[in-house]
Amino acid sequence: MNVIETDNLTKYYDRLCAVDAISLSVGHEIFGLLGPNGSGKTTTMRMLTTLLRPDAGDAWISGHHVVNEAREVRNRLSYVPQEMAVDINLTGRENVALFAHLYGVENVKDRVDEMLGLMLLSQRADDLVKTYSGGMRRRLELAQALVHEPEVLFLDEPTIGLDVAARKNIWEHITALRDKGMTIFVNTHYMDEADRACDRVGIIDRGRLIAVDTPGNLKDRIQDDVITVRVSGKFDGRIDADVRYMGQVDDELMFTAGKGSEAVPRLAEALTGKGMKVHAISVREATLDDVFLRLVTSKTDEEGRFDGHGFRLMLRRR
Amino acid sequence: MKRLVYYLQRDLTRWLRRKIAVISALITPAAWLIFVGLTLPTTFTDNYLDFITPGILVMSMLGTSLQGGSLLMFDKILGFLNKFLALPAPRETILFGKILFITIRGLIQTTVILILAFLLGASMYDPLTLMATYIILFLFGVLFSSLSTTLALQLDDHDSYAAVNAMVSMPLFFTSTALMPYNVMPAWLRVIAHLNPVSYAIDAIRMLGTDIIPWANLLGLAVAAVIVLLICIRRFRRVTV
Ligand SMILES: Nc1ncnc2c1ncn2[C@@H]1O[C@H](COP(=O)(O)OP(=O)(O)OP(=O)(O)O)[C@@H](O)[C@H]1O
Ligand SMILES: [Mg+2]
C-alpha cells in the first residue's frame, strides 16, 4: 500500500458534493492537487488529515485508516492549513516550541533550534512573529510542522500571498524535504509552480479528479504550440497557412500550430499579404494552465470534444 | 495532562503580552468596586463594601468567563484549531486548556479585586474563607466558561456571539443578589434571583463571611459546572469529528 491511498473518497456539504469519489495513490513524491477556487482541494485535504469525516469511501495514510485509526494517522502527518495561523504575539521560537511540546518531542530545545535553523529563522527566532514577513511566517509554519519528523506533510496553498522570491524559497524547502524521503501533498492553484516542483499532479474540478499524471505527460496531451500575433488592420478569420485560428483579443490574434516556430514565417507572410501590419509575434509551448483549462472545458462539453469557446477564453486569460 | 499546560501557557502568554487587555481586565472591576462599593447610599447594611465585594468578585468572574468563549472562536476562525486538531494529542485537551485558562484568568482578576477591597476597608477573610471563596469562584468560572465556549462552538460568527453575551450578562447580574439582599428586593425580582446561578455563588461567599459553610450552593455549582462541561465536550466532539 502506498503512503497515501484513497478509495472513492466523498464528501457532501448538505446537497453539494464537494469531493466526488476520488481514488488516488501517492508514494514518496511531491503530489500537487490543482484546481480552481471551490473545487474541493481543502475538503480533500481535511479528510486526509482526519479533520473531516468522509461521507463515503476510505483513505489510508501509511496504511492506517483515517477514520478508524485517526490517532495513528495524526502521529504520522503534519498539516499546514490555508490560513496562516501563527501566534503573532509569541516569538518564532515560542511558536515552534509549542508544537514540539504538543507533539511530545524529546529534546525540545535542540529540536526547535534545529528546525529554526533549517528554515533559516535562527537570527530572528526571539523576535515576536508580528515583526516577520509573510515568507518568514510560512517558513515558521513549516518549522512547526516538521518538528516531529512527519512521514507525510500536507500543505494547503503554501505560497499564497507570497512574493516571487519567497515562493521559490518555499518550493526549495519542499523539494529538499522530498529528497530526504518525505511525502508531500500540496494544494495549489498556481499551475506554473506545480509544473516546476511537483512530481505528479492531480487536476480536480467541481469535486471530480479529472486527470492524474506527471506535468510533462499532461502537457504532451496538448501537442500544439500557441502563437500570438500583434497586428493592426482587420482580420477576416481566413488564413492560408498551416495554423489554426483561435480568436482575437484586442489587437492580438491567436493561432495554434504543431510546430509553432516553423509556422511563423508563413503566417507573417500571409497576414502581410492580406494587407495587415504585423508588429510582434510570440510562440510558446502549452503550459499546465492550458492543459488544465482544456481538461476542464472539454469535460463541460458533453461529448468530450475540443471546445473552441473555452479555449479562446483560456487564451484571453494569459 | 502535560499538553494541557502547554495550551494554557500559550493563552496566558498571549494575554499577558497584550498589556492593554490586562490593564483593562484589572481596572474595570476595580472601578466597579470603588464606585459602587463606596458611593451607593444604602440603608440595609452599615458596611456596604463587605456586602458588595462578593458581588463584584462574581460579576468579574461572570464577565470574563462569558467573554472567554471568543478565544476558541478565534482559534477556529483563524485556523489554529485545525492545526491543533491535526495533532496526535487527545483533542479534548484543547477544550480543557481553554476553560482552565479562562477560569484562571478570572481568578487573577478576582485576586486583584480582593486585595483592593481589603485595602479599602472590607473585613479580612480568614484563610479557610479565602480558600473556599476561590473554590466557589473556580466552579462558577468553569460553569460559565463552558457555557460561553459551547455558545462559541455553536455560533459561527463573532458578532452574534457578542450579541448573545451582551443579552445574557446584564440581566444575569442585575437579577442576582449582587447589589441587594433578597429581603429588599421587589417580590418578582426575588423569585428570579432565587433561580439565578449568579446568586448561588454570591450567597455562598457571603455565607462564608458569617462562618456558615454553604454546602448546598457548592454542590449546586459543582453539579451545574459538570453538566455544562459535559454538554460542551459533546458539542466540541460534534463540531470537530
Ligand atoms: N463548511 C462548509 N459548508 C458548506 N460548504 C462548504 C464548506 N466548506 C466548503 N464548502 C464548499 O465546498 C466546495 C469545496 O470547497 P473547498 O474549500 O474544498 O475548495 P478549495 O478547492 O479548497 O477552494 P480554494 O481554492 O478557494 O481554497 C466549495 O463549493 C465550498 O463552497
Ligand atoms: Mg482551499
Side-chain angles (χ1 to χ4, degrees):
Chain A
M1 193 175 255
N2 240 334
V3 184
I4 303 172
E5 292 275 353
T6 77
D7 176 29
N8 283 308
L9 197 64
T10 303
K11 181 74 195 176
Y12 286 91
Y13 290 115
D14 297 319
R15 303 236 303 288
L16 173 83
C17 186
V19 173
D20 191 356
I22 286 188
S23 298
L24 195 61
S25 179
V26 177
H28 289 286
E29 59 184 323
I30 302 178
F31 183 87
L33 191 60
L34 311 187
N37 291 128
S39 53
K41 303 183 296 293
T42 298
T43 307
T44 304
M45 192 171 276
R46 293 180 62 187
M47 286 192 283
L48 293 176
T49 52
T50 78
L51 297 177
L52 269 181
R53 190 188 286 269
D55 290 317
D58 296 284
W60 296 265
I61 305 291
S62 300
H64 295 279
H65 194 270
V66 292
V67 177
N68 305 331
E69 301 170 278
R71 190 76 185 269
E72 289 297 315
V73 169
R74 291 203 284 269
N75 257 318
R76 284 168 173 76
L77 62 81
S78 275
Y79 170 48
V80 181
Q82 203 167 344
E83 311 89 357
M84 235 184 264
V86 281
D87 282 310
I88 56 168
N89 277 325
L90 301 186
T91 66
R93 189 186 305 282
E94 286 167 337
N95 268 287
V96 181
L98 172 68
F99 275 71
H101 285 302
L102 292 174
Y103 276 118
V105 167
E106 280 167 31
N107 260 328
V108 167
K109 201 187 157 301
D110 295 344
R111 190 77 193 135
V112 170
D113 281 340
E114 191 187 332
M115 285 307 111
L116 288 166
L118 184 68
M119 288 298 142
L120 311 174
L121 291 168
S122 303
Q123 299 278 316
R124 303 282 307 275
D126 295 306
D127 295 347
L128 293 184
V129 173
K130 63 173 131 189
T131 67
Y132 284 22
S133 70
M136 291 170 71
R137 290 180 194 196
R138 260 303 180 215
R139 295 210 302 277
L140 185 63
E141 288 209 291
L142 283 179
Q144 289 180 316
L146 296 174
V147 79
H148 76 130
E149 305 190 300
E151 290 170 30
V152 192
L153 182 59
F154 287 92
L155 304 172
D156 201 347
E157 315 260 6
T159 55
I160 202 152
L162 302 187
D163 68 33
V164 182
R167 281 180 192 195
K168 191 157 165 286
N169 184 269
I170 294 288
W171 282 110
E172 280 163 8
H173 285 296
I174 295 173
T175 311
L177 292 168
R178 189 260 331 264
D179 294 342
K180 279 195 251 168
M182 200 177 284
T183 297
I184 296 139
F185 188 107
V186 201
N187 283 352
T188 181
H189 45 221
Y190 296 124
M191 305 290 165
D192 51 333
E193 296 185 357
D195 191 356
R196 256 174 279 135
C198 294
D199 299 309
R200 286 194 310 145
V201 296
I203 294 182
I204 184 174
D205 183 38
R206 276 171 280 165
R208 308 265 303 268
L209 193 63
I210 52 181
V212 181
D213 214 330
T214 63
N217 286 347
L218 285 174
K219 280 184 294 187
D220 284 347
R221 291 193 190 181
I222 294 188
Q223 276 150 7
D224 294 352
D225 293 328
V226 178
I227 307 171
T228 311
V229 189
R230 192 153 59 78
V231 295
S232 47
K234 182 107 183 68
F235 182 59
D236 59 7
R238 273 190 292 277
I239 186 87
D240 179 27
D242 201 10
V243 296
R244 257 203 305 176
Y245 175 56
M246 298 309 304
Q248 178 166 10
V249 180
D250 303 328
D251 58 349
E252 290 190 336
L253 304 175
M254 308 274 187
F255 302 90
T256 58
K259 289 212 161 40
S261 46
E262 288 169 22
V264 162
R266 276 293 308 274
L267 178 61
E269 249 171 55
L271 287 172
T272 316
K274 289 170 89 74
M276 307 180 70
K277 186 154 174 49
V278 176
H279 300 291
I281 299 186
S282 69
V283 181
R284 60 174 178 82
E285 286 180 6
T287 63
L288 214 48
D289 246 327
D290 303 328
V291 177
F292 175 73
L293 284 149
R294 163 93 60 107
L295 281 169
V296 171
T297 48
S298 50
K299 271 284 179 215
T300 43
D301 188 19
E302 272 167 7
E303 287 133 302
R305 274 184 293 106
F306 180 71
D307 172 4
H309 175 69
F311 195 59
R312 269 195 292 282
L313 273 179
M314 159 203 116
L315 293 170
R316 193 164 306 148
R317 253 183 47 131
R318 307 228 105 234
Chain B
M1 192 54 208
K2 256 180 11 211
R3 299 193 163 95
L4 183 70
V5 176
Y6 295 121
Y7 281 123
L8 193 66
Q9 193 185 5
R10 164 182 179 247
D11 278 325
L12 208 56
T13 317
R14 292 195 316 166
W15 180 59
L16 290 174
R17 290 213 179 133
R18 284 179 33 235
K19 298 272 175 331
I20 311 264
V22 176
I23 291 169
S24 125
L26 299 180
I27 294 225
T28 320
W32 269 82
L33 189 68
I34 292 167
F35 294 127
V36 180
L38 297 181
T39 59
L40 231 58
T42 45
T43 48
F44 58 85
T45 170
D46 46 2
N47 191 342
Y48 193 60
L49 193 60
D50 270 0
F51 177 83
I52 196 71
T53 301
I56 303 289
L57 289 177
V58 173
M59 180 203 78
S60 21
M61 203 69 194
L62 177 70
T64 193
S65 301
L66 282 178
Q67 263 175 35
S70 63
L71 284 169
L72 192 59
M73 175 167 267
F74 278 122
D75 272 359
K76 188 165 96 182
I77 294 172
L78 297 177
F80 289 100
L81 186 59
N82 276 335
K83 277 169 88 166
F84 293 147
L85 289 171
L87 296 176
R91 289 174 164 179
E92 286 78 13
T93 321
I94 303 168
L95 188 65
F96 297 150
K98 276 288 178 264
I99 290 170
L100 200 59
F101 165 69
I102 300 167
T103 309
I104 288 177
R105 184 176 65 180
L107 291 178
I108 295 173
Q109 279 175 255
T110 48
T111 303
V112 172
I113 297 167
L114 264 178
I115 293 172
L116 192 68
F118 297 148
L119 289 177
L120 288 174
S123 329
M124 285 291 268
Y125 290 5
D126 60 60
L128 192 71
T129 307
L130 202 60
M131 211 175 71
T133 304
Y134 274 112
I135 293 173
I136 292 162
L137 289 172
F138 178 81
L139 291 173
F140 185 81
V142 171
L143 170 62
F144 278 94
S145 47
S146 305
L147 184 76
S148 68
T149 302
T150 311
L151 193 69
L153 287 168
Q154 193 81 33
L155 301 172
D156 273 335
D157 69 307
H158 190 256
D159 285 348
S160 19
Y161 168 80
V164 174
N165 261 355
M167 199 167 69
V168 167
S169 61
M170 283 284 263
L172 270 177
F173 177 67
F174 284 107
T175 63
S176 74
T177 49
L179 297 175
M180 58 189 104
Y182 294 110
N183 56 20
V184 301
M185 286 179 186
W188 63 269
L189 185 58
R190 200 174 307 151
V191 177
I192 301 174
H194 270 295
L195 298 170
N196 186 342
V198 178
S199 313
Y200 291 13
I202 297 172
D203 297 349
I205 299 175
R206 284 190 188 138
M207 277 187 240
L208 289 171
T210 57
D211 287 333
I212 304 165
I213 300 197
W215 292 113
N217 299 41
L218 269 171
L219 188 70
L221 283 174
V223 169
V226 169
I227 291 174
V228 179
L229 184 60
L230 288 176
I231 294 173
C232 188
I233 293 171
R234 235 181 82 115
R235 188 68 224 159
F236 181 76
R237 289 198 178 135
R238 183 102 59 84
V239 169
T240 56
V241 232

